Amino acid sequence: MSYLQPALTFLDWFKTWPGTTFHEHIEIVDLRSRGAGRGIVAKKDIAPETVLFTIPRQAILCSTTSELATLIPGLKTGDEKEEDKEDDKEDDDDENENGQDPWTSLILIMIYEYLRGEKSPWKAYFDVLPTVFDTPMFWADSELKELQASPVVGRVGRKEADEMITSKVLPVIRAHASVFFGSNVPLADDDLIQLAHRMGSTIMAYSFSLEKDDEDDEEQELPKEQGEDVDMMDGVEHGDSHDDHEHGPGCSHEHDHEDADGWVEDHDDQQPLGMVPMADMLNADAEPNAHINHGVEALTATSIRAIKAGEEILNYYGPLSNGELLRRYGYTTEKHAFFDAVDLPWELVQQKLIAELPGLAASDGDKISKMLADDEDDENDMEDPIMLDRDFEEDETTGQLSAPASGRVLAELPPALKKQARAFAKIASKRLQKKREKEKKEEPPVSKNKSGKYGKYGKAKVAPKEEVPRPDKEIAAAGILAAFKVRLAQYKTSLDKDEAQLQSMAASATSLSPSQSRLYAALRVRIGEKRLLTEAIALAKEALEEQKKPATSTKSKRNSRAMDIDEPSGKRQRM
């Protein structure tokens, strides 16, 4: 069987659903030479606002279309009994009487339909879904170490996913073994767990978040732009990560939604989920040329700008950093570097601020941070961790991205960081001042010695010179700089070394082994994060130098206020 045959069979199956359309000027092609698996390409020039394909809602695999919801009463989210609602008012409102949420409900549905084989209406669809995922959840420990100090490492979520499967998925399957297995021999627990992981990862990579329409009681798709983290998971994993996908520098294949790795931690949306055939056949990138529109009766893929013959149709999964793209979908792209981000834990900043304030105890620092977090008068909540993300320029007409003319990836330090550090330093300085004044009052009076003189050697005892308090802004700037230096030092290799290694692998990136491909992705992630931290250090140094300068002129006074300026950002919100 040729590589494309399952996709062509899938296309024929797709067209049998009433209400589907597939534009005559597009086709499913083999894009492995680009490191992108299967994808959809324009055969002829396509004008903007052209409907590329249409997916009727009855073709969506979800709790309202699979018969499993009728075979296991209450499986469908939202069908809980009234008495259960009363008893569990303080529990998760979106869990039904079987303890299922939208994620586990769809996992059960997919396991059921997959085990049905030829009997399932979605058999041809399952045949083009990936069986292997490249997200960090499935990496070896040695491969995960290549991510070094990236925040991605702490969000893999394999343990949590195992716990969810064993507590919510397996008990339902065992209790309804005849429904899931029929006359076949039931799978062993280990095999079911692996299958559940595969389905959970598929959901993360390809599913859509569906919202119920209160007026007509039909399910509707929540547009991705409305911002729920789980809403449009239309996965481009199809393009790329169908079985033979290899990730490389030209990989524009988007694997859907919230990471397939730690998918369990990303199920907070709690809207019903569904698998949307054909929408997830599109690959995606940071500069899309198509968009999925969500109607009551159907979903449509529409071109958002002119697409030339031979050009791939690309969807958009949101402004995801390469770290998030890897965590959710198992790949990275060059263009998603525009959305790169890295975290700076407030605890680290607090430690370095305390170090700038001799005499301030760690416990005092904890109290001050709690005070800031609990401050109801503050307009903005305290951020922790504080995120650094890249600056870029965007053509609002075409959605295309470019680096800023300055050449910097970071234009300014996060306003929240400056504000919190300044507020902490101000409170801490006052506490220290009060402590010193109290200690001074409690000092015993100086008495004369036997010679009638003051002091041990007959000399008058001279009171120590009063220490001039450092400005709060200077303390804040020094603490921020120290924190950034420590954060960068948590990565085991230098930025220069990483960039050289990535460059050496780039020429053969589409033919790397699976392990090398993972290293390539890890390099791309940690390079983006290190670039941000490196420029943050440079900015923090500049800020500290400005704070140390005497404010003797209008210009220097203006610069000394840099730590307090909260400029609005015009960038797309990163995830």
Side-chain angles (χ1 to χ4, degrees), residues 137-167:
M137 175 178 279
F138 301 103
W139 290 19
D141 289 343
S142 59
E143 293 169 333
L144 281 174
K145 287 181 181 178
E146 296 296 345
L147 288 166
Q148 298 185 355
S150 172
V152 174
V153 177
R155 301 186 64 193
V156 170
R158 174 78 189 204
K159 180 180 178 182
E160 292 80 3
D162 282 340
E163 290 175 352
M164 176 181 284
I165 291 169
T166 55
S167 65

Side-chain angles (χ1 to χ4, degrees), residues 33 35 63 71 103 137 195 217 242 251 266 393 402 476 491 560:
S33 62
S63 60
L71 296 173
W103 289 93
M137 175 178 279
L195 181 57
D217 199 36
H242 293 291
C251 169
D266 298 313
E393 295 174 358
S402 61
Y491 291 81
S560 72

